[in-house]
Amino acid sequence: MAFLYIGLVIVIAAAVYAFLVAPGRVPREADALWHAYYAHRGLHSADQSVPENSLAAFGRAVDAGYGIELDVTITADDQIAVFHDDTLARACGVERDIRECTWTELQKCRLFGTEHGIPLLSEVLALVNGKVPLIVELKSTKRYRALCERTAKLLDEYPGLCCIESFDPRIVRWFALNRSDMVRGQLAAGMRSYNSTPWYQSLPMSALLTNVLTRPHFAAYRHQDARRKLGIRLFKLLGGRLVAWTVQSPEDERRCRRLFGTVIFEYYKP
């Protein structure tokens, strides 16, 4: 009898876990999203002579026929800028939070000492114009609702194939509630990769337990952390798509292909 109860507990626990990590229904019309390679922050160079998240890097990706992964954040005057970091220090040598700057102020900045500036999402969309698919990552911010609203409005009018992703479950949930037909993804990594994030936040994000609130269509996972992760395998088994980030060599890509269907890459050409 004890074994029967143990078995029942295991079955119930497995069912609950499956319910928590289950994906949303993946739209069939989005199939072309999964067959592309995505250039991480555009087809930029390792020495940043062609900077990440620049119009030059995006143009190179389009010319090479690669999809593009890019990052967006919101400025103090509600413009949607394409930029990865919270601060301008690494990319522009300026000790300021980009979210506290106006677009006029940002136009004076140059990326990694080059002549290239920070682009707006509207400029990138005009450049790409549907030629290759896009993965748009929304960065976490206290003003995430404004970021979501303005990004969604721009993507509503975009004629090409695109999807959104974020580490922030609040952002993915916003799209689940307000743009349910737009393909959405949850970015995630192993617990140790979240650095200073408290364990009670990093644990559910690493295990994809926030899916119960967001029902993402795909999970973009740090490929180095993906081994022996039950959650992402269960997510895939239940119909979700898996995207590997960020792959930096053909050898890494070959290992990733055992689990992941789609690859975000940099510093080599697949």
Side-chain angles (χ1 to χ4, degrees):
M1 186 65 70
F3 288 110
L4 180 61
Y5 285 133
I6 292 172
L8 182 60
V9 169
I10 292 173
V11 169
I12 293 174
V16 170
Y17 191 35
F19 172 75
L20 292 175
V21 304
R25 177 179 290 182
V26 181
R28 288 187 178 180
E29 58 270 22
D31 282 351
L33 281 169
W34 319 120
H35 302 306
Y37 285 95
Y38 289 88
H40 187 232
R41 306 177 197 172
L43 199 58
H44 66 284
S45 55
D47 63 2
Q48 297 290 0
S49 56
V50 178
E52 64 184 56
N53 279 326
S54 67
L55 291 178
F58 300 140
R60 290 181 72 200
V62 170
D63 291 343
Y66 293 124
I68 294 168
E69 183 270 351
L70 57 91
D71 310 278
V72 297
T73 190
I74 191 166
T75 66
D77 54 349
D78 293 340
Q79 297 297 308
I80 303 302
V82 179
F83 197 78
H84 176 269
D85 299 355
D86 291 339
T87 76
L88 298 167
R90 180 180 68 93
C92 302
V94 178
E95 295 292 341
R96 290 193 66 186
D97 190 316
I98 187 172
R99 296 162 296 192
E100 296 174 357
C101 300
T102 65
W103 174 238
T104 299
E105 292 172 323
L106 292 178
Q107 286 178 291
K108 301 173 185 176
C109 295
R110 289 295 173 263
L111 295 169
F112 299 97
T114 69
E115 75 278 13
H116 302 285
I118 300 170
L120 291 172
L121 177 58
S122 58
E123 294 176 305
V124 177
L125 297 180
L127 171 69
V128 178
N129 195 30
K131 298 183 183 74
V132 296
L134 300 176
I135 298 177
V136 179
E137 177 185 342
L138 286 78
K139 309 303 292 185
S140 186
T141 172
K142 292 179 181 178
R143 301 181 60 226
Y144 75 92
R145 291 186 182 86
L147 172 62
C148 291
E149 290 167 0
R150 285 159 177 77
T151 301
K153 185 175 181 181
L154 289 168
L155 296 181
D156 286 343
E157 301 169 358
Y158 180 63
L161 193 63
C162 64
C163 61
I164 67 94
E165 66 178 11
S166 183
F167 278 104
D168 191 333
R170 298 174 302 173
I171 290 175
V172 185
R173 180 169 172 77
W174 187 95
F175 277 87
L177 295 175
N178 297 281
R179 292 293 190 283
S180 59
D181 57 340
M182 187 175 292
V183 176
R184 59 189 179 273
Q186 180 65 58
L187 272 160
M191 278 188 67
R192 293 181 181 179
S193 296
Y194 285 95
N195 299 322
S196 59
T197 305
W199 70 267
Y200 54 83
Q201 293 179 353
S202 61
L203 174 60
M205 290 190 290
S206 173
L208 301 182
L209 297 178
T210 59
N211 286 8
V212 70
L213 300 175
T214 62
R215 293 302 179 213
H217 303 113
F218 69 94
Y221 213 90
R222 185 176 185 268
H223 72 91
Q224 298 95 328
D225 300 339
R227 293 184 62 189
R228 295 185 294 276
K229 284 290 188 298
L230 175 62
I232 61 176
R233 284 167 171 77
L234 184 55
F235 178 81
K236 181 180 180 180
L237 181 65
L238 294 172
R241 301 286 184 158
L242 294 181
V243 178
W245 66 269
T246 300
V247 179
Q248 297 184 332
S249 71
E251 293 74 24
D252 281 346
E253 183 186 333
R254 282 193 289 272
R255 285 191 289 270
C256 285
R257 287 299 183 188
R258 300 170 188 170
L259 177 61
F260 295 93
T262 305
V263 165
I264 298 173
F265 72 94
E266 66 181 359
Y267 305 147
Y268 81 104
K269 292 185 177 180

